Amino acid sequence: MAPAAHCWRHRPSEGGAGLIRITNVSKWYGNFPALKSISLNIEAGERVVICGPSGSGKSTLIRCINGLEEHQNGEIVVNGIELTSRSHGINEIRREVGMVFQQFNLFPHLTIRKNCTLALRNVRKMGSAEADAVADKFLARVRISDQADKFPGQLSGGQQQRAAIARALCMAPKAMLFDEPTSALDPEMVKEVLDVMTSLAREGMTMVVVTHEMGFARQVADRVIFMDHGQVVEDGPPDSFFSNPRHERARAFLDQVVH
Ligand code: ADP
């Protein structure tokens, strides 16, 4: 984990060919190859679901996109900005790409509103009243205005995850990355989070979602990417992925997760 080991380099002359461009990206943990020469192009407005067996590299891939993990080979360019392996620049990444984690990752000692305003104040240098107004707008958007003055531990899991989504939206990201956003939730809370994500998708947000929620993938995704052993094995529209997966490993996966 080396979030500070990256910097983003503006390459405006090469913009316009995909909001997120991943070219021949490889990553090792020690000798273990977690990502093996991944290439993907994600356009603005696309809704992409990444699925695959546990340990196939899904989380590593999206953590590389926002610079939480360092890739060793290849190139990642988001909105014309290249992520390189030089030092500093994490705040630039946060401006471009919002991230929602399985375990919410809210700061427990801050109220929900303050969780939302922290980066606005520190990164965007916004004044207190303006930051509060932005936070309140997005807390209303995820329908938890009434929780704004509480601490994360006082909220249900579904409410905490909606707060985490609001916190990411406050930064007006170009794209949102979701790393198994419903996996830590009790079943009755999964829908309220998926509903928020579905409405974001309908509004045109570019989304990359690692999830086992295949109903969401069917209904919301433009594209389903299936990963196995650090590689992209399938990449296509949900209809063809679900009705006619080309690879045996994808068929075996679907047999397990689609009931
Ligand atoms: P997925 O999200 O598909 O479950 P991950 O991207 O979390 O897979 O992990 C891919 C592989 O990399 C797994 O074999 C996992 O054990 C390994 N891995 C993930 N994070 C680390 C780490 N920090 N150190 C060593 N190995 C890791």
Side-chain angles (χ1 to χ4, degrees):
M1 269 273 299
H6 288 85
C7 89
W8 289 72
R9 186 153 54 87
H10 261 289
R11 296 178 20 161
S13 59
E14 294 181 35
L19 181 60
I20 301 172
R21 282 187 284 143
I22 301 168
T23 311
N24 297 326
V25 164
S26 296
K27 174 171 181 62
W28 290 265
Y29 291 112
N31 292 329
F32 177 79
L35 300 177
K36 300 175 192 166
S37 197
I38 302 266
S39 292
L40 282 177
N41 209 14
I42 296 171
E43 304 293 337
E46 264 195 305
R47 280 72 53 113
V48 179
V49 162
I50 302 179
C51 62
S54 179
S56 56
K58 309 178 297 293
S59 177
T60 301
L61 178 63
I62 66 166
R63 291 170 70 86
C64 281
I65 295 174
N66 81 342
L68 283 174
E69 293 282 357
E70 189 175 1
H71 61 285
Q72 280 99 29
N73 278 356
E75 186 179 75
I76 300 178
V77 180
V78 179
N79 199 33
I81 304 168
E82 185 190 355
L83 177 56
T84 68
S85 50
R86 289 186 231 148
S87 58
H88 67 76
I90 195 73
N91 287 340
E92 279 238 31
I93 298 167
R94 290 188 182 138
R95 288 193 187 114
E96 302 290 328
V97 184
M99 182 93 176
V100 175
F101 300 90
Q102 183 175 345
Q103 298 291 348
F104 327 134
N105 293 18
L106 295 167
F107 293 108
H109 62 292
L110 297 179
T111 64
I112 295 301
R113 184 184 288 108
K114 284 218 162 19
N115 265 277
C116 290
T117 56
L118 189 67
L120 291 172
R121 303 290 316 274
N122 293 346
V123 179
R124 294 225 190 275
K125 310 295 179 200
M126 207 177 259
S128 163
E130 193 185 353
D132 281 354
V134 173
D136 287 349
K137 172 179 153 192
F138 286 105
L139 290 172
R141 171 78 187 69
V142 302
R143 299 189 309 279
I144 51 167
S145 297
D146 50 342
Q147 310 297 322
D149 296 314
K150 292 188 187 169
F151 291 91
Q154 298 173 300
L155 272 60
S156 71
Q159 290 170 329
Q160 288 187 63
Q161 192 61 298
R162 286 188 279 150
I165 293 171
R167 176 176 64 176
L169 292 174
C170 282
M171 294 296 283
K174 297 278 188 313
M176 290 276 286
L177 311 177
F178 295 83
D179 190 1
E180 298 206 31
T182 58
S183 297
L185 299 177
D186 291 334
E188 70 271 22
M189 291 168 192
V190 169
K191 185 173 179 300
E192 67 191 51
V193 171
L194 290 180
D195 284 349
V196 166
M197 292 169 61
T198 302
S199 70
L200 272 183
R202 296 219 167 100
E203 288 169 11
M205 174 63 79
T206 308
M207 295 167 65
V208 184
V209 185
V210 173
T211 186
H212 295 293
E213 293 290 336
M214 293 296 109
F216 176 81
R218 266 182 203 274
Q219 284 167 19
V220 177
D222 305 302
R223 243 166 108 184
V224 176
I225 289 167
F226 175 78
M227 289 183 67
D228 196 24
H229 291 103
Q231 291 174 305
V232 172
V233 176
E234 306 234 0
D235 179 354
D239 280 356
S240 55
F241 177 71
F242 288 110
S243 61
N244 190 24
R246 284 174 295 140
H247 292 84
E248 178 50 38
R249 286 179 287 177
R251 277 195 285 276
F253 172 79
L254 283 174
D255 280 348
Q256 283 176 345
V257 298
V258 178
H259 308 290

